[in-house]
Amino acid sequence: MTSLPSDIEDLRLRTRDFIRTVVIPAEPAPGERLKEADRSRLQDAAKAAGVYAPHAPREYGGQGVPLRYWSPIFQEAGYSLIGPTVLNCQAPDEGNMHMLELIGTEAQKEQYLRPLVSGAARSCFGMTEPHPGAGSDPAALRSSAAKVDGGWVITGHKRFTSGANNATFCIAMVRTPALEATPTSAAAPAGATMLLVDMDAPGVRIGEQISTMDRAIGGGHPHLHFVDVFVPDTAVLGAPGEGFRYAQVRLGPARLTHCMRWLGLARRAMDIALDRANTREMFGAALHELGIAQDMLALNVMDLETSDAIITKTAGLLESDARAGSALSSVAKAHTSEAVYRVIDRSLQLCGGDGVSDRLPLASYLNEVRAFRIYDGSNETHKWAIARRASSARRREVANAR
């Protein structure tokens, strides 16, 4: 990792120690979920250790680390599958905290951000819908909200709403009509709007559960129904009609923090493989001396280092140029999600029979990181966007050179 300011390096080292001495001994068996009682106990321990919520503002109970330095801390947290949950920097809460911090009103921050940072509240983000609704193509959004006196009435059906089972509120993305200016409100374009919806509001219903291969994100991935759900005007996050623009505030950093956490897990897998290679003998030689093992270990190092580099570059760009940073986060997401899978897959292969058994956690790690190639936009969608941006940039460059 690159050189860090002394206070960030101190937090990284304390996080590293906390994960290894407190969190890893409390990990559930491979494939099992963290119990709620253990989550609360471990989060209290993280608060006492001063490593809790590294990304969140200090005034709301976090450590106040700037975005450009999240990666080394999040990687240390991600060294354990439950580490991000214990430090309260796991999706979807972490992304929702960041968006509330940047665009929430002071009242919204007190009502939603403060309890979310403390762990007293949980959240979800309602974007994905059943076909033909929004998925990889957000323009297909079908859930809607109608303007009524004093607020909005939401009708819609979401699916794969990560964290919804444990959530106390949802940030719902819905389609809204154009609004004319009134004496008390500004005009708004037709488009998408983000609305803060309490999960116990009348008309909100959790539907069919979706069983998935991953276990690290608590609260499941269920369907979520909104049937004539009323929310007040104060529930608008940002401004009406600007939801897609505000979504980039969340989605760029959120897909990058997934990369950070999973890269930490890939480093754990690499350490497991290195320990095996350094202690096992095959065909009369130490495993780490065999050419085929050296090739796999070298490829792991290359995947780890290139992922780390692009994450670091993207994090800095998100602070200095959010639009360019969001575009580069697609590159980081597509590359890192595939790279960490390769690292864990090679590590499992180096560990042989133990790798595919519950004797080691590597098989469960594969299940976790495989889903990331679909979560936060499928890699194919990101590559399509990356190629389009590259082609457009080159056309402009050629045109300007004439």
Side-chain angles (χ1 to χ4, degrees), residues 106-227:
E106 290 306 311
Q108 288 170 342
K109 291 177 184 179
E110 286 299 320
Q111 183 175 357
Y112 295 105
L113 179 57
R114 187 176 297 280
L116 191 58
V117 173
S118 73
R122 314 276 277 279
S123 67
C124 58
F125 187 75
M127 175 70 181
T128 305
E129 299 172 337
H131 183 78
S136 292
D137 179 9
L141 187 69
R142 295 170 69 90
S143 298
S144 64
K147 188 71 182 75
V148 297
D149 187 29
W152 302 80
V153 173
I154 306 170
T155 301
H157 179 187
K158 303 294 184 179
R159 70 180 291 272
F160 228 93
T161 315
S162 300
N165 290 326
N166 295 334
T168 52
F169 71 93
C170 174
I171 300 176
M173 179 81 84
V174 294
R175 189 168 295 281
T176 51
L179 300 177
E180 295 183 358
T182 71
T184 58
S185 63
T193 299
M194 289 187 183
L195 296 172
L196 290 157
V197 185
D198 293 333
M199 292 293 285
D200 60 359
V204 177
R205 178 175 65 85
I206 292 177
E208 177 188 356
Q209 298 292 320
I210 300 175
S211 180
T212 63
M213 63 198 303
D214 61 300
R215 295 290 184 270
I217 296 176
H221 308 281
H223 287 246
L224 185 60
H225 300 269
F226 300 102
V227 182

Side-chain angles (χ1 to χ4, degrees), residues 136-138 378-391:
S136 292
D137 179 9
S378 69
N379 282 10
E380 290 72 24
T381 301
H382 283 292
K383 291 174 182 177
W384 169 76
I386 292 164
R388 289 188 66 188
R389 285 192 291 265
S391 297

Side-chain angles (χ1 to χ4, degrees), residues 281-361:
E281 290 190 4
M282 297 184 67
F283 309 111
L287 182 57
H288 69 87
E289 294 176 349
L290 298 179
I292 188 64
Q294 291 174 342
D295 181 69
M296 296 167 77
L297 292 170
L299 290 172
N300 276 4
V301 172
M302 293 159 64
D303 275 336
L304 291 169
E305 292 301 321
T306 54
S307 297
D308 193 30
I310 195 169
I311 290 169
T312 300
K313 180 178 179 179
T314 305
L317 196 57
L318 280 166
E319 282 196 335
S320 62
D321 184 344
R323 183 181 179 89
S326 182
L328 192 59
S329 73
S330 287
V331 180
K333 188 271 181 182
H335 173 81
T336 304
S337 62
E338 295 177 3
V340 298
Y341 186 89
R342 292 192 295 263
V343 170
I344 296 171
D345 186 59
R346 294 188 200 105
S347 298
L348 184 153
Q349 189 73 16
L350 283 163
C351 292
D354 286 343
V356 298
S357 75
D358 285 347
R359 184 179 178 86
L360 293 173

Side-chain angles (χ1 to χ4, degrees), residues 1-307:
M1 296 183 183
T2 57
S3 178
L4 298 171
S6 58
D7 59 331
I8 302 298
E9 177 64 5
D10 175 68
L11 178 58
R12 184 187 74 82
L13 292 174
R14 288 189 291 110
T15 301
R16 178 186 179 91
D17 179 70
F18 181 79
I19 292 296
R20 284 162 171 73
T21 61
V22 178
V23 176
I24 288 177
E27 289 177 334
E32 295 184 4
R33 297 185 186 275
L34 180 67
K35 292 183 174 64
E36 283 299 305
D38 291 333
R39 170 185 171 272
S40 296
R41 174 180 60 81
L42 290 167
Q43 285 193 341
D44 287 343
K47 292 174 184 177
V51 297
Y52 183 80
H55 60 293
R58 288 187 180 275
E59 60 267 34
Y60 293 98
Q63 306 302 316
V65 175
L67 174 57
R68 62 186 176 277
Y69 297 131
W70 284 4
S71 184
I73 311 299
F74 277 47
Q75 287 186 52
E76 296 294 355
Y79 196 80
S80 168
L81 268 178
I82 64 171
T85 296
V86 172
L87 269 59
N88 204 12
C89 59
Q90 178 62 284
D93 290 341
E94 167 265 315
N96 290 343
M97 290 180 212
H98 186 58
M99 187 162 60
L100 281 163
E101 177 191 356
L102 293 180
I103 64 175
T105 65
E106 290 306 311
Q108 288 170 342
K109 291 177 184 179
E110 286 299 320
Q111 183 175 357
Y112 295 105
L113 179 57
R114 187 176 297 280
L116 191 58
V117 173
S118 73
R122 314 276 277 279
S123 67
C124 58
F125 187 75
M127 175 70 181
T128 305
E129 299 172 337
H131 183 78
S136 292
D137 179 9
L141 187 69
R142 295 170 69 90
S143 298
S144 64
K147 188 71 182 75
V148 297
D149 187 29
W152 302 80
V153 173
I154 306 170
T155 301
H157 179 187
K158 303 294 184 179
R159 70 180 291 272
F160 228 93
T161 315
S162 300
N165 290 326
N166 295 334
T168 52
F169 71 93
C170 174
I171 300 176
M173 179 81 84
V174 294
R175 189 168 295 281
T176 51
L179 300 177
E180 295 183 358
T182 71
T184 58
S185 63
T193 299
M194 289 187 183
L195 296 172
L196 290 157
V197 185
D198 293 333
M199 292 293 285
D200 60 359
V204 177
R205 178 175 65 85
I206 292 177
E208 177 188 356
Q209 298 292 320
I210 300 175
S211 180
T212 63
M213 63 198 303
D214 61 300
R215 295 290 184 270
I217 296 176
H221 308 281
H223 287 246
L224 185 60
H225 300 269
F226 300 102
V227 182
D228 296 332
V229 178
F230 173 80
V231 295
D233 285 325
T234 54
V236 175
L237 184 58
E242 300 291 343
F244 287 135
R245 180 167 66 86
Y246 288 128
Q248 296 310 309
V249 173
R250 182 188 191 281
L251 295 177
R255 67 173 67 106
L256 191 66
T257 53
H258 267 317
C259 294
M260 298 171 187
R261 290 183 291 260
W262 291 141
L263 186 57
L265 193 69
R267 292 189 187 280
R268 173 98 172 265
M270 177 63 162
D271 285 347
I272 292 171
L274 286 168
D275 290 343
R276 174 61 62 102
N278 286 333
T279 56
R280 292 291 287 258
E281 290 190 4
M282 297 184 67
F283 309 111
L287 182 57
H288 69 87
E289 294 176 349
L290 298 179
I292 188 64
Q294 291 174 342
D295 181 69
M296 296 167 77
L297 292 170
L299 290 172
N300 276 4
V301 172
M302 293 159 64
D303 275 336
L304 291 169
E305 292 301 321
T306 54
S307 297

